[in-house]
């Protein structure tokens, strides 16, 4: 093939076989091409094939019309037509049919058959009807038998194509005159019959023919169908007893199992119950109903001519084969013997014998024994288990093969017919991973048919050459390449060749079946000749028989005129519009299509009519075309001019050798290129001249337009200049005026500002003068006052010295007058005055305390009165119960006495019944009173608890009252303290100093000099002390803030933050301070950290720290230490000096941590801080509980919703085998509880709090699930009860794993939902009485709740009913009565209270020693933490 740059070629591809490409570069022995996908390939020129760029996009209907008849041309032509649903294509007289894998009813109806009737082959589009019509017309015109060979691989559509050919032949053949039977209908209905007994599901096809079929449709002399004969080849007998997954056995077995009456009659069940069918798990075919197919098979049998008795015998035989396959053998008592395994096998062999209508012992003997004829006589040989199983399978295969043979002869035949049309539907070439004896025989048959096909194609080629009268040398065409490929490429598994080739007949089996009482079964096994019956086996060869049948078939085909239909499977997925190139190319090669192409290439493959040739290649010699009108002469002259020699001129066509058409196309392309260049040159010249004229005209128009634009532009410029002058004049005027006005405004503003500035200066100057004058006056006054005070002090000192001297003299005198009572009376009067003041304050305090105690006593009295009333009611109930019991005893005694006295049985029975009624009524009243008594007792216990809590509140109020009294007492002490003669100076000193420092100013007369020096030193250091105190408080606050903000964690289970805060407060004596803000600072910092951070992580941490700090305060602070605080403020004696006061102050300030084990007497801020900590503990616990409830609510909702959504999917097995497993919602809840426990224990939350928290959480779970159960009817069913019961089991396991230390009584909190669920899942609810339900099943539930559950319950699994109508009526009567009901609601309320007190916390939390902790290093760096480091050392 000559190549040039730009030539269109086909290139080989691994995936697509061939791809279109274009030559881009030429080398010595390599060519570079670019495929249609843009991929560049370097290939050898020998591996490239020419491609026609002008090929029709819809393809050609005959492959011989292709410009280049080669593999890729044939392949892509089929693909183009397949894309457009044109599934039929000719290759000469051969029809290629591509399976569309979808319904195309519009091309197979009666209208299409009428269109193809009598039309020559090739006039209309390719169709299977055209081939059938051609064979029918040839048979009528030539009076010669025809044959149509349909071939292809499994799934290519051979069977459907055969059906269509039969359908068309019955359409054109019609019904024979005078025939009572509808033979054409028998022919058509033979297809489903043969498919039922000869087709099965394979890996590649759901309806694969497992035998070759040659159907001869017989015609009379008028062309009417008169009969039919069907011959089969190589039925796959081994499939009866052995199949592989996912294949199936023959369809008839599954159809029989799907029948209803016949299956019951023959004791058949589902196919999975039979050994010959359950070796594969495929029992149904997609879109196929076995029951419907069984009815269709029965109908086909009736139409074909099989009587009802024969049909029953056929299906009885099939059922017997299935039962025979279930017979199993075990070793017998003797050596190498076998016997029936169990009772099940005995049942099946009995059923098989009954269906075969033979003796069961004879059947068993034929399976387990063999007879050998010798000279001495007959020897009976026992068979072992394997041999018995082989004998069983041999019998099943033999019976089925003869049964299928019998069915094939059922179609009516015409012995007088002289012409017929044979339809050969035979398996195609097969190549699997494991190829066995069947594939060898199939491929051998295909090879013989391929040889016949090649000879036919070669013959057609010769006939074509003869018709055209061209010179052709007759060469014998012999090619064995396919056989070589078969030997080289296909591997056969020869392990079972001999066994599968062996086709022996067991005489015992023949004798057994011949003895059958069923004439149909006995007819399958005619009596054997006497010489043949001497041996137990009659050996024959499957291959020899198959070869004989194939030879007969070939002789039949050679005596007929063949027509070929090659079926192609487009893809292995059995899906429409998928075209797999490699697979199709393989089928074309195996099917002989490409072989026909190769035969054509051996001669003159390119053929064109003279008109087509001249039309395509006349441009190579236009002078010759114009000189003559004879197209043949023109064709010859063109070929001679081009110096081509390998051609022949026929009558109507020109024949070219392979490659000549490429030379012609190449020269044609060169001529077209030259012509195209000339046309392009002329066109470019024309376009350039036209563009020049257009440009010149455009330039003239453009110039005129430009001149007009310039003139208009000049005019506009002049007009704009005049307008600009006018506008400038007005603008200048406006600017000048604006500048003038702005200048005037600015001048006025500046003047006003200056005047204001001067005025304000003068005013400020006068103000400063007045202030200076006032300051001077004040300073002068201060100097004068200071001088006056200094003089006054000096005078007072002098006076004091003088008075002291006078006093000493007076003292000496008074000593002498020791008995004088004046001084004593004076001292007494002072003490009496002080005593009166104390009495007044004591009376005031007593009144306040009495009023508070009276209020508390009133509240306690009310509670006690309620308790007393309840106690009275309780006693009355007890007495009433005792009275009823006595009454019952008395009635019983009366009954006994009356029975003794009276002899009349009827009267006694009546009285007994009346007394029994009275006893029952009394018993009910007694039960009601006992129940009321229990309720009163529970109420009494609740009131006792309430009283205890009130007493605790009372003690807390007393503590607060004492704190308030202490504060009031201290304030009154300050107000009523003795005043000196100088009220101004004493009040100023008392405001600046407190405590012992004030004592130095109480007696100024005795120590005037020391008082003066002390006052001077205090005045000098006042500012410095206040500054130091402020700085120290600031450092302490910063240190505590850092301890709170930093997550200090835990050390040996002790919270570091709480221990450090307690040690700091203890060291700083904050608990003994009367006034301090450190406690409020701590509370604010804790709340601030919780607001900023993640509450979920911080709340457990601070619950642990705050509760630990509260316990430390509870255990180390005195509960009534503040009562003695007034004693610290008693008036000191007159003789106490200032120095003693200073020593007391220094001793108190330097007190350290020397006595931390002793209890501390707290002041009011410490007690308030303790109450704040208690509030924080309750708040943190409540927040954690509320957050948990918020997170649990969606989980509980998803549990309920999840079950409702899955409710329709639950099984309804009567035996209750299906159990609901908790879904992921319950698992999510368990995971949530695990994470909660992990978080709480990770933060060392005391087990007391964890226990209380878990109990309240499970109480919330109980309330939520119980209320959802009672509010939603879809939840109140049996399946939901099982589902919730399984979830409760998981919760119980979690509680057990959590231990009682952390879970406590959490399981008892689920009482309501557990009892409700238990009621849902019990069986036989209608047999339960109301007393059993209330006492045994649901003791915790009220009548209203039980009534709600009973009326809403529905069984979605077993369909059972709820409680009986009598129980419902009793509950309704109790609800209407309403006396015994404590509440009108059936729902449960959530408990939002805090389930503990401060004393509970102190008792439950273990003792914490804060002294042995190790302080973190980064805290010791703070100045306020130095004492912690010293204490640690």
């Amino acid at each position: 093939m000559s190549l040039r740059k730009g030539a269109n070629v086909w290139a080989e591809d691994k995936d697509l076989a061939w791809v279109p490409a274009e030559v881009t570069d030429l080398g010595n022995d390599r060519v570079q091409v670019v495929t249609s996908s843009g991929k560049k390939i370097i290939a050898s020129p020998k591996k490239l094939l020419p491609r026609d760029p002008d090929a029709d996009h819809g393809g050609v209907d005959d492959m011989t019309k292709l410009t280049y008849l080669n593999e890729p041309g044939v392949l892509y032509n089929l693909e183009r037509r397949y894309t457009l649903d044109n599934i039929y294509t000719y290759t000469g007289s051969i029809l290629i049919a591509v399976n569309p894998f979808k319904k195309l009813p519009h091309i197979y109806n009666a209208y299409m058959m009428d269109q193809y009737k009598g039309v020559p082959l090739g006039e209309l589009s390719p169709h299977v009807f055209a081939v059938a019509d051609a064979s029918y017309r040839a048979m009528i015109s030539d009076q010669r038998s025809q044959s149509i060979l349909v071939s292809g691989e499994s799934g290519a559509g051979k069977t459907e194509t055969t059906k269509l050919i039969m359908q068309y032949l019955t359409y054109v053949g019609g019904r024979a005159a005078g025939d009572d039977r509808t033979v054409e209908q028998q022919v058509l209905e033979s297809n489903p019959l043969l498919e039922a007994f000869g087709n099965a599901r394979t890996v590649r096809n759901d309806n694969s023919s497992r035998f070759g079929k040659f159907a001869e449709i017989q015609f009379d002399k008028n062309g009417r169908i008169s009969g039919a004969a069907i011959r089969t080849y190589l039925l796959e007998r081994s499939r009866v007893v052995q199949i592989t997954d996912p294949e199936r056995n023959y369809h008839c077995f599954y159809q029989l199992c799907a029948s209803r009456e016949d299956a019951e009659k023959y004791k058949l069940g589902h196919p999975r119950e039979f050994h010959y069918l359950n070796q594969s798990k495929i029992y149904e075919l997609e879109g196929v109903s076995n029951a419907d197919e069984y009815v269709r098979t029965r109908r086909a049998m009736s139409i074909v001519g099989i009587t009802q008795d024969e049909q029953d015998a056929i299906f009885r035989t099939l059922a017997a084969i299935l039962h025979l396959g279930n017979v199993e053998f075990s070793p017998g008592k003797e050596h190498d013997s076998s016997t029936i395994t169990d009772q099940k096998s005995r049942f099946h062999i009995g059923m098989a014998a009954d269906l075969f209508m033979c003796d069961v012992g004879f059947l068993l003997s034929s399976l387990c024994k063999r007879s050998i004829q010798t000279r001495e006589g007959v020897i009976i040989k026992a068979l072992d288990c394997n041999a018995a199983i082989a004998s069983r399978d041999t019998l099943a295969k033999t019976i089925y093969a003869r049964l299928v043979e019998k069915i094939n002869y059922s179609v009516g035949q015409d012995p007088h017919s002289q012409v017929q049309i044979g339809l050969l539907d035979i398996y195609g070439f097969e190549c699997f991973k494991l190829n066995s004896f069947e594939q060898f025989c199939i491929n051998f048959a295909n090879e013989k048919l391929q040889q016949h096909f090649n000879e036919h194609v070669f013959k057609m080629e010769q006939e074509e050459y003869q018709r055209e009268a061209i010179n052709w040398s007759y060469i014998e065409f012999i090619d064995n390449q396919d056989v070589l490929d078969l030997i080289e490429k296909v591997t056969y598994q020869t392990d079972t060749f001999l066994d599968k080739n062996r086709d022996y007949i067991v005489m015992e089996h023949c004798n057994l079946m011949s003895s059958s009482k069923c004439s149909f079964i006995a007819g399958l096994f005619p009596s054997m000749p006497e010489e043949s019956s001497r041996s137990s086996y009659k050996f024959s060869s499957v291959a020899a028989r198959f070869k004989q049948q194939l030879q007969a078939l070939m002789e039949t085909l050679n005596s007929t005129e063949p027509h070929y239909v090659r079926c192609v499977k487009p893809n292995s997925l059995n899906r429409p519009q998928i075209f797999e190139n490699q697979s199709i190319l393989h089928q074309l090669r195996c099917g002989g299509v490409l072989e026909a192409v190769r035969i054509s290439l051996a001669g003159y493959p390119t053929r064109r009519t003279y008109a087509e040739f001249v039309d395509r290649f006349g441009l190579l010699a236009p002078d010759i075309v114009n000189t003559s009108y004879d197209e043949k002469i023109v064709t010859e002259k063109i070929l001679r001019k081009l110096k081509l020699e390998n051609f022949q001129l026929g009558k109507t066509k020109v024949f070219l050798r392979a490659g000549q058409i490429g030379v012609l196309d190449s020269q044609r392309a060169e001529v077209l290129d030259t012509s195209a260049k000339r046309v392009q040159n002329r066109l470019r010249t024309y376009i350039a001249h036209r563009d020049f004229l257009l440009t010149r005209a455009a330039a003239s128009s453009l110039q005129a337009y430009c001149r007009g634009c310039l003139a208009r532009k000049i005019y506009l410029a002049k007009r704009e200049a005049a307008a600009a002058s006018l506008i400038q004049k007005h603008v200048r005027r406006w600017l000048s005026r604006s500048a003038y006005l702005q200048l005037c405004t600015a001048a006025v503003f500046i003047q006003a500002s200056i005047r204001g500035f001067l005025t304000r200066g003068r005013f400020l100057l006068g103000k400063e003068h007045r202030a200076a004058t006032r300051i001077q006056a004040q300073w002068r006054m201060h100097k004068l006052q200071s001088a006056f005070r200094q003089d006054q002090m000096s005078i007072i000192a002098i006076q004091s010295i003088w008075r002291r001297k006078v006093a000493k003299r007076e003292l000496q005198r008074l000593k002498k007058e020791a008995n004088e009572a004046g001084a004593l009376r004076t001292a007494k009067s002072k003490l009496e005055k002080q005593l009166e003041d104390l009495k007044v304050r004591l009376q005031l305090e007593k009144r306040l305390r009495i009023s508070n105690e009276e209020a508390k006593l009133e509240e306690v009295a009310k509670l006690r009165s309620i308790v007393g009333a309840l106690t009275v009611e309780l006693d009355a109930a007890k007495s009433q119960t005792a009275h009823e019991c006595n009454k019952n005893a008395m009635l019983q005694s009366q009954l006994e006495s009356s029975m003794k006295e009276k002899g009349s049985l009827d009267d006694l029975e009546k009285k007994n019944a009346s007394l029994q009624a009275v006893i029952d009524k009394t018993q009910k009243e007694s039960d009601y009173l006992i129940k009321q008594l229990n309720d009163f007792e529970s109420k009494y216990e609740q009131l006792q608890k309430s009283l205890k809590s009130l007493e605790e509140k009372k003690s807390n109020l007393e503590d607060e009252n004492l704190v308030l009294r202490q504060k009031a007492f201290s304030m009154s002490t300050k107000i009523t303290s003795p005043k000196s003669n100088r009220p101004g100076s004493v009040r100023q000193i008392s405001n600046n100093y407190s405590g012992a420092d004030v004592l130095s100013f109480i007696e100024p007369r005795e120590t005037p000099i020391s008082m003066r020096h002390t006052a001077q030193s205090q005045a000098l250091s006042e500012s410095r002390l206040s500054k130091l105190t402020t700085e120290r408080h600031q450092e302490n606050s910063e240190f505590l803030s850092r301890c709170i903000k930093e997550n200090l964690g835990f050390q040996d289970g002790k919270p570091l933050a709480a221990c450090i805060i307690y040690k700091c407060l203890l060291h700083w004596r904050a608990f003994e301070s009367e006034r301090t803000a450190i406690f409020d600072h701590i509370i604010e910092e804790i709340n601030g950290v919780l607001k900023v951070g993640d509450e979920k992580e911080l709340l457990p941490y601070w619950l642990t720290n705050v509760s630990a700090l509260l316990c430390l305060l509870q255990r180390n602070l005195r509960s009534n230490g503040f009562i003695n605080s007034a004693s610290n403020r008693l008036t000191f004696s007159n003789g106490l000096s200032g120095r003693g006061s200073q020593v007391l102050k220094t001793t108190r300030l330097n007190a350290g941590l020397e006595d931390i084990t002793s209890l501390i007497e707290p002041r009011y801020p410490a007690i308030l801080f303790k109450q704040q900590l208690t509030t924080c503990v309750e708040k943190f616990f409540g927040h954690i509980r509320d957050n948990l409830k918020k997170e649990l609510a969606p989980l509980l909702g998803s549990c309920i919703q999840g079950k409702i959504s899955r409710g329709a999917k639950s099984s309804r097995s009567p035996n209750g085998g299906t159990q609901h497993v908790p879904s992921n919602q319950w698992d999510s809840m368990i995971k949530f509880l695990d994470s909660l426990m992990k978080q709480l224990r990770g933060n060392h939350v005391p087990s007391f709090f964890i226990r209380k928290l878990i109990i309240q959480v499970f109480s919330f779970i109980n309330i939520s699930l119980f209320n959802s159960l009672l509010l939603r009817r879809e939840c109140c069913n049996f399946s939901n009860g099982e589902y919730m019961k399984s979830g409760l089991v998981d919760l119980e396991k979690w509680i057990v794993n959590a231990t009682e230390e952390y879970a406590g009584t959490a399981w008892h909190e689920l009482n309501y939902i557990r009892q409700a669920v238990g009621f849902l899942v019990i069986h036989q609810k209608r047999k339960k009485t109301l007393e059993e339900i209330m006492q045994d099943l649901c003791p915790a539930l009220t009548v209203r709740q039980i009534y709600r559950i009973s009326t809403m319950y529905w069984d979605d699994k077993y369909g059972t009913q709820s409680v009986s109508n009598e129980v419902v009526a009793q509950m309704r009567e109790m609800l209407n009565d309403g006396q015994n009901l404590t509440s009108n609601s059936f729902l449960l309320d959530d408990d939002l209270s805090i389930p503990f007190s401060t004393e509970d916390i102190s008792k439950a939390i273990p003792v914490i020693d804060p002294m042995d902790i190790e302080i973190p290093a980064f805290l010791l760096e703070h100045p306020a933490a130095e004492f912690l480091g010293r204490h640690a050392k």
Side-chain angles (χ1 to χ4, degrees), residues 1022-1175:
E1022 178 182 0
S1023 60
R1024 182 179 178 184
L1025 288 174
S1026 62
K1027 183 177 181 182
L1028 291 174
T1029 305
T1030 303
E1031 289 177 356
R1032 186 169 63 254
H1033 287 319
Q1034 185 68 24
E1035 289 177 356
N1036 296 342
S1037 300
E1038 290 177 359
F1039 177 73
L1040 291 179
S1041 299
R1042 188 171 183 183
C1043 292
I1044 294 171
K1045 292 177 180 179
E1046 293 285 342
N1047 190 347
L1048 301 181
F1050 303 87
Q1051 190 177 105
D1052 297 332
K1054 300 176 182 178
L1056 286 178
C1059 295
I1060 294 174
I1061 292 172
Y1062 176 77
K1063 291 177 70 174
C1064 292
L1065 296 176
L1066 192 64
H1067 176 73
W1068 297 332
R1069 292 184 177 272
F1071 302 115
E1072 302 174 19
S1073 300
E1074 294 290 341
R1075 296 174 61 187
T1076 180
I1078 195 67
F1079 300 127
D1080 295 334
H1081 178 73
I1082 292 172
I1083 299 300
E1084 289 174 1
E1085 286 295 328
I1086 294 174
N1087 292 329
V1089 169
L1090 291 175
K1091 289 180 181 178
V1092 174
D1094 185 9
E1095 279 192 359
K1096 186 176 180 181
E1097 297 293 333
L1098 293 177
L1099 280 173
Y1101 171 78
W1102 279 110
L1103 177 62
T1104 304
N1105 280 277
V1106 173
S1107 61
L1109 188 57
L1110 177 62
C1111 288
L1112 289 173
L1113 266 64
Q1114 186 75 11
R1115 290 164 180 158
N1116 296 311
L1117 297 183
R1118 291 182 182 175
S1119 60
N1120 57 351
F1122 54 87
I1123 298 174
N1124 299 325
S1125 61
S1127 63
N1128 294 330
R1129 299 196 175 193
L1130 293 176
T1131 305
F1132 292 92
S1133 61
N1134 294 334
L1136 185 60
S1137 63
R1139 183 177 179 182
S1141 172
Q1142 189 68 23
V1143 170
L1144 179 61
K1145 179 180 179 181
T1146 304
T1147 304
R1148 182 176 299 175
L1149 289 175
N1150 293 334
L1153 300 173
E1154 296 174 356
D1155 193 13
I1156 61 172
T1157 57
S1158 60
L1159 296 179
I1160 303 169
E1161 295 181 358
R1163 297 297 181 263
Y1164 174 74
I1167 296 174
L1168 185 60
F1169 178 59
K1170 178 182 172 183
Q1171 295 178 355
Q1172 288 176 336
L1173 290 177
T1174 304
T1175 305

Side-chain angles (χ1 to χ4, degrees), residues 979-1026:
K979 298 181 181 178
S980 64
N981 295 330
R982 294 174 297 279
S985 60
V986 173
R987 187 180 298 112
Q988 182 180 2
I989 293 170
S990 63
N991 288 334
N992 291 333
Y993 301 94
S994 63
D997 296 337
V998 184
L999 297 177
S1000 60
F1001 298 95
I1002 294 177
E1003 296 293 337
R1005 291 182 180 179
E1006 293 190 7
T1007 58
I1009 298 175
S1010 61
M1011 180 187 68
R1012 181 179 62 188
H1013 291 293
T1014 302
Q1016 290 177 357
S1017 62
Q1018 290 287 348
L1020 292 175
S1021 61
E1022 178 182 0
S1023 60
R1024 182 179 178 184
L1025 288 174
S1026 62

Side-chain angles (χ1 to χ4, degrees), residues 1260-1391:
F1260 176 73
I1261 293 173
N1262 175 66
I1263 292 169
S1264 300
L1265 293 178
F1266 185 82
N1267 291 345
S1268 300
L1269 192 67
L1270 268 63
L1271 289 174
R1272 304 175 66 171
R1273 189 175 185 275
E1274 61 268 23
C1275 298
C1276 200
N1277 54 46
F1278 189 91
S1279 298
N1280 192 53
E1282 290 184 334
Y1283 171 74
M1284 297 184 73
K1285 184 177 181 181
S1286 59
L1288 292 175
V1289 170
D1290 289 346
L1291 292 179
E1292 183 180 9
K1293 291 179 181 178
W1294 187 89
I1295 292 172
V1296 172
N1297 294 332
T1299 68
E1300 188 176 359
E1301 180 184 1
Y1302 297 100
T1305 60
W1307 178 244
H1308 298 290
E1309 296 297 323
L1310 300 176
N1311 274 342
Y1312 280 83
I1313 187 62
R1314 286 195 292 118
Q1315 294 178 11
V1317 169
F1319 176 79
L1320 291 180
V1321 299
I1322 64 168
H1323 297 281
Q1324 299 181 351
K1325 296 182 179 65
R1326 299 186 65 83
K1327 295 184 179 180
K1328 302 293 183 181
T1329 63
L1330 181 60
E1331 288 75 13
E1332 292 176 349
I1333 294 173
M1334 295 181 64
Q1335 295 177 6
D1336 300 333
L1337 297 178
C1338 307
L1341 273 62
T1342 63
V1343 178
R1344 190 176 298 278
Q1345 292 168 346
I1346 297 173
Y1347 177 80
R1348 178 76 175 182
I1349 297 174
S1350 301
T1351 54
M1352 291 181 63
Y1353 171 81
W1354 59 286
D1355 192 346
D1356 61 332
K1357 190 171 183 180
Y1358 302 104
T1360 60
Q1361 296 181 355
S1362 184
V1363 298
S1364 61
N1365 296 331
E1366 291 79 9
V1367 173
V1368 175
Q1370 290 179 11
M1371 289 190 290
R1372 190 181 294 113
E1373 183 179 356
M1374 293 176 68
L1375 293 176
N1376 293 334
D1377 189 10
Q1379 295 180 358
N1380 300 334
L1381 303 179
T1382 58
S1383 174
N1384 292 328
S1385 176
F1386 53 82
L1387 300 179
L1388 300 178
D1389 295 329
D1390 194 3
D1391 184 15

